[in-house]
């Protein structure tokens, strides 16, 4: 499945991401969630190409994340200020991790919403398969 083709039917924000490149088109967190809810997405770090992890979007408020070789961690999803934020159950500082979702050449990506570390991850697959994590909330 091509990620860009899946998102074409979603109403996307047309604002360009500031300072990164004119070929990158910002999408709203709501548009990202419209495409992701009920799906499992696999994220790769864009510079190294390495697998970061896989996230199942159970609904618009809850996801489950799993890094390769690790257990499942549940996260609460919020969308403040155009960002897509996750507060995971195992987060020791209680501060959510936030991302700016965008499209680049038809590929779905997220950029860490921090000016210190410009980490970018690419969604390379979006499937209907679940992570089979124990204790998954049903709603």
């Amino acid at each position: 499945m091509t990620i860009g083709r899946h998102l074409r039917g979603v109403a996307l924000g047309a604002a360009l991401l500031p300072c990164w490149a004119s070929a990158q088109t910002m999408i709203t967190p709501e548009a990202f969630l419209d495409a992701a809810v009920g799906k499992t997405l696999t994220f790769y770090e864009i510079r190294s190409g390495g697998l970061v992890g896989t996230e199942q979007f159970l609904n618009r408020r809850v996801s489950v994340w799993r890094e390769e070789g690790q257990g499942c961690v549940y996260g609460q999803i919020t969308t403040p200020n155009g960002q897509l934020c996750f507060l995971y159950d195992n987060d020791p500082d209680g501060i959510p991790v936030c991302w700016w979702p965008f499209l680049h050449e038809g590929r779905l990506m997220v950029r860490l919403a921090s000016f210190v570390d410009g980490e970018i991850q690419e969604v390379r697959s979006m499937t209907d398969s679940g992570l089979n994590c124990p204790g998954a909330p049903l709603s």
Side-chain angles (χ1 to χ4, degrees):
M1 165 181 199
T2 302
I3 303 301
R5 181 176 53 213
H6 182 75
L7 285 173
R8 278 190 203 126
V10 177
L12 300 176
L16 294 178
L17 284 175
C19 307
W20 296 309
S22 60
Q24 297 176 351
T25 303
M26 184 175 183
I27 64 172
T28 65
E30 292 77 14
F32 180 96
L33 290 171
D34 286 346
V37 169
K39 306 287 185 195
T40 299
L41 284 63
T42 305
F43 293 86
Y44 288 81
E45 204 281 324
I46 197 71
R47 286 176 269 192
S48 70
L51 174 65
V52 178
T54 306
E55 191 142 21
Q56 182 180 0
F57 289 80
L58 301 172
N59 57 52
R60 297 180 84 77
R61 297 178 321 273
V62 179
S63 70
V64 59
W65 169 258
R66 184 168 58 203
E67 291 182 49
E68 194 68 27
Q70 303 289 320
C72 298
V73 179
Y74 291 88
Q76 300 300 311
I77 302 169
T78 57
T79 58
N81 305 316
Q83 299 173 6
L84 185 63
C85 299
F86 301 86
L87 180 58
Y88 295 102
D89 291 346
N90 68 345
D91 193 353
D93 62 10
I95 298 172
V97 175
C98 297
W99 302 89
W100 284 303
F102 66 97
L103 292 175
H104 176 69
E105 297 177 353
R107 298 172 6 219
L108 181 58
M109 305 210 181
V110 293
R111 183 186 191 284
L112 188 62
S114 164
F115 293 107
V116 176
D117 177 13
E119 180 179 343
I120 296 174
Q121 296 177 12
E122 177 181 6
V123 175
R124 291 205 186 150
S125 72
M126 183 182 292
T127 69
D128 292 325
S129 302
L131 291 178
N132 297 320
C133 294
L138 297 176
S139 61

